[in-house]
Amino acid sequence: WIDIAVSKPIVKEKLSERELDVFVKLLEGKSRKTCAEELFIAESTVKKHSASIYKKFEVKNRAELVNKINNI
């Protein structure tokens, strides 16, 4: 289902390439630390990208993000 979520035009329009990388990791249920390690970026960078993603989709957390993406 992650492939379907990523292929939605609204997702591609709203997110930068790096935010999209973090978005996928969030949907996979990975921690910020794991996301950072797998993407070779600082955990604080993952936190900033996550906050940006949540803001763009007008949600407060990962659960709301998953729900919103499933209903788009």
Side-chain angles (χ1 to χ4, degrees):
W1 79 271
I2 294 173
D3 291 337
I4 294 169
V6 171
S7 69
K8 293 183 179 190
I10 190 82
V11 172
K12 290 181 177 182
E13 290 170 12
K14 287 189 177 215
L15 302 180
S16 70
E17 188 173 326
R18 201 50 152 172
E19 286 172 339
L20 193 57
D21 294 337
V22 172
F23 175 80
V24 169
K25 300 294 181 189
L26 292 174
L27 295 185
E28 290 174 346
K30 301 202 173 162
S31 69
R32 283 196 297 245
K33 182 178 181 180
T34 302
C35 291
E37 290 170 355
E38 291 182 3
L39 296 173
F40 304 102
I41 57 178
E43 193 172 343
S44 61
T45 304
V46 173
K47 186 175 181 178
K48 288 176 187 175
H49 284 313
S50 299
S52 177
I53 292 165
Y54 296 158
K55 184 177 179 182
K56 288 179 179 183
F57 284 99
E58 300 175 352
V59 296
K60 295 179 183 170
N61 56 48
R62 192 181 306 208
E64 287 183 12
L65 177 64
V66 170
N67 187 43
K68 186 151 193 173
I69 295 303
N70 283 331
N71 291 313
I72 293 178

